[in-house]
Amino acid sequence: MTFLVVGLSHRGVPLDLLERMTVPAARLPKALDDLARRPFVREAVILSTCHRTEVYAVTEGFHGGVQSIRDFLGDLAFVAPEDFSDHLVTYHDESAVAHLLAVAAGVESVVRGESQILGQVRQAWDRARDHGACGGRLDAVFRQAMETGRRVRSETGIGKGISSLSDAAVAMAAARLGPLAGRRIVVLGAGEMGQGVVAGVADRGGGPEVVVASRSRARAQLVAERSGAGTVDLHDLDLALEDADLLVTSTGAPSVVVTTARMADVVQRRQGRPLLIVDMGMPRDVDRGVGGLAGVTLLDLADLRAYVDAGADQRHEVERARAIVADETARFLATAVQRRAAPTVSALRARAEELRRAELARYRSRLSGLDARQQEAVAALTRGILAKLLHEPTVQLKEAAGSPRGERLADAARELFALEDPAGARIRRDSPPVAKAG
């Protein structure tokens, strides 16, 4: 079995492509169903955030697994594989473990050490488990990722200062507008990102006027009450924008919410007053044509990345975090070696003991003339023969554990001795049989 990571992230990938690859929460169950039925895929987790869409999977073989996941991503986004293959990043086995642990630690994020990614990794793992797409092998590595993420945050200062995309968005807006005191700010979206923006504006003080709009009026009110902000109904959003200085959006909607036609009417009523829009949605909330309207400056996640990269100076803390990731990766791999061999060795010895006892029971009548001491000698003899017979297979399985050879030996042992696969059957019980490579 191979542990694979296949996907795209903010590193060198156009925002348009990353946007098309995003898996909204509402589509995740269907996407997991589709992925779990692909050839070679045995377990899978899909992590889709503002800046990455990655599949973490246990597959039967490397090349077949990569091909299946690549085809899945193409079908998901209605994009031909050759149109995104150059941007696809692939890790396997040890490097895949190290990558997941680094993602959970926040060192692969746009904002290094961001506070949200660890929760997003946990949520992706939980959704896959709840849906029956994740089994024992992925459980083990995701559990290690959570421990690593918590350790990095407790032992380094990587999350200090700007620690989230929301913080970065507020800082970037302030860099463009100057002090936010006295400004009128509209926040569209009351999810985690929107809450972070409202809190970040409030932390700066100075009394900016903030109003929150959301599809859920109750959620908007809850977010507003926490920081003394106001609310506005979505139907009245245009009115709120007539005298706003800043609009920050993060709705999670599957398509554009703020259209060019809608904003053209607002701009006409603003009579040339400038408006800064920071679109944090993925997919984007604001039609790109809005940026061409008079007086409107439209920034998106690509601009946010550039802003963070220009101001980032946490090299020492990032190095400390990466050292912890390397340490935790080595610790996981060392433990995994024994963990992978143990079930097969245990099953092999249990099977042999079962056969030994069955044979002694079959010959019980023939051994009835022996006294207790002689019967124990016979039992000890059979145990000794089995111990010597199983010694070399046990050594070979343990020494090769965690390698392709170890997987082949374990598979052969399970087949030759009719042992139960410790990884269990295919996670999706209603899915078709897994195709074999070659």
Side-chain angles (χ1 to χ4, degrees):
M1 293 298 158
T2 300
F3 174 41
L4 283 177
V5 180
V6 181
L8 306 97
S9 74
H10 58 93
R11 298 185 183 280
V13 177
L15 192 59
D16 286 350
L17 178 58
L18 197 57
E19 184 177 50
R20 296 183 69 176
M21 289 291 179
T22 301
V23 186
R27 291 182 60 193
L28 188 58
K30 185 176 180 180
L32 285 168
D33 275 337
D34 181 9
L35 181 57
R37 288 181 169 85
R38 297 279 170 161
F40 305 100
V41 178
R42 295 195 62 160
E43 301 180 28
V45 172
I46 299 173
L47 175 64
S48 186
T49 71
C50 291
H51 295 284
R52 71 179 64 249
T53 293
E54 293 177 337
V55 172
Y56 299 80
V58 173
T59 66
E60 292 194 0
F62 173 80
H63 295 290
V66 171
Q67 184 65 49
S68 287
I69 297 171
R70 190 181 76 155
D71 291 345
F72 160 76
L73 291 171
D75 293 345
L76 177 77
F78 302 103
V79 179
E82 56 269 21
D83 291 341
F84 66 86
S85 292
D86 288 346
H87 298 289
L88 210 59
V89 176
T90 302
Y91 304 90
H92 71 282
D93 295 332
E94 291 87 347
S95 64
V97 173
H99 177 72
L100 173 57
L101 269 55
V103 168
V107 297
E108 295 295 327
S109 298
V110 172
V111 178
R112 301 294 175 84
E114 65 159 304
S115 56
Q116 295 170 328
I117 187 61
L118 190 59
Q120 291 168 333
V121 170
R122 179 68 198 225
Q123 187 176 45
W125 177 29
D126 286 344
R127 293 291 297 275
R129 285 198 300 177
D130 292 345
H131 207 65
C134 178
R137 300 192 184 200
L138 282 185
D139 277 344
V141 69
F142 270 84
R143 191 173 295 110
Q144 189 74 31
M146 300 306 297
E147 293 177 8
T148 302
R150 288 191 288 266
R151 182 183 167 193
V152 165
R153 284 160 178 79
S154 67
E155 296 182 19
T156 74
I158 193 173
K160 294 180 180 178
I162 293 179
S163 61
S164 70
L165 289 174
S166 301
D167 289 345
V170 173
M172 182 174 68
R176 291 274 184 154
L177 295 175
L180 298 182
R183 301 285 189 176
R184 180 172 174 81
I185 301 170
V186 177
V187 178
L188 177 57
E192 185 176 4
M193 204 82 76
Q195 294 175 42
V197 170
V198 174
V201 170
D203 288 343
R204 286 180 171 259
E209 182 184 352
V210 182
V211 293
V212 182
S214 172
R215 285 173 294 179
S216 169
R217 185 64 182 268
R219 178 178 289 182
Q221 290 176 336
L222 182 62
V223 172
E225 288 170 0
R226 291 174 181 168
S227 57
T231 62
V232 61
D233 192 89
L234 275 181
H235 297 296
D236 297 324
L237 179 62
D238 294 2
L239 293 175
L241 291 176
E242 285 186 18
D243 58 355
D245 299 291
L246 170 64
L247 167 64
V248 182
T249 74
S250 179
T251 70
S255 58
V256 166
V257 176
V258 180
T259 64
T260 302
R262 182 179 188 179
M263 280 303 301
D265 291 338
V266 173
V267 166
Q268 189 174 10
R269 295 194 296 271
R270 288 175 61 87
Q271 298 181 341
R273 185 180 176 187
L275 172 65
L276 174 63
I277 301 177
V278 179
D279 183 358
M280 300 174 65
M282 178 57 75
R284 282 172 281 193
D285 295 317
V286 182
D287 191 338
R288 279 169 287 179
V290 170
L293 298 175
V296 176
T297 300
L298 175 60
L299 306 178
D300 58 21
L301 288 170
D303 299 293
L304 194 58
R305 292 178 206 162
Y307 173 79
V308 171
D309 288 343
D313 189 17
Q314 284 191 308
R315 282 185 288 273
H316 177 65
E317 296 304 321
V318 170
E319 288 174 3
R320 291 180 61 198
R322 289 196 181 280
I324 291 174
V325 168
D327 178 56
E328 291 293 330
T329 299
R331 186 162 71 90
F332 173 81
L333 293 173
T335 302
V337 166
Q338 296 301 320
R339 184 170 57 242
R340 290 178 188 176
T344 301
V345 170
S346 177
L348 178 59
R349 290 185 172 275
R351 176 65 172 155
E353 177 63 15
E354 178 187 358
L355 293 173
R356 186 188 74 84
R357 289 177 180 273
E359 286 302 296
L360 284 176
R362 194 160 68 91
Y363 279 87
R364 184 177 294 117
S365 61
R366 300 185 189 185
L367 300 174
S368 60
L370 302 179
D371 60 29
R373 184 176 178 182
Q374 291 170 325
Q375 289 193 23
E376 176 53 35
V378 172
L381 175 64
T382 60
R383 285 196 295 268
I385 292 172
L386 280 186
K388 290 182 181 298
L389 185 65
L390 296 178
H391 173 72
E392 189 61 26
T394 298
V395 170
Q396 293 289 332
L397 284 167
K398 288 184 176 180
E399 288 183 350
S403 68
R405 177 173 176 269
E407 294 286 355
R408 291 195 298 271
L409 289 176
D411 287 342
R414 287 192 289 268
E415 185 172 351
L416 289 171
F417 294 95
L419 307 178
E420 182 178 350
D421 186 344
R426 202 185 214 293
I427 298 302
R428 296 294 298 176
R429 296 172 186 259
D430 55 350
S431 56
V434 178
K436 295 289 185 181

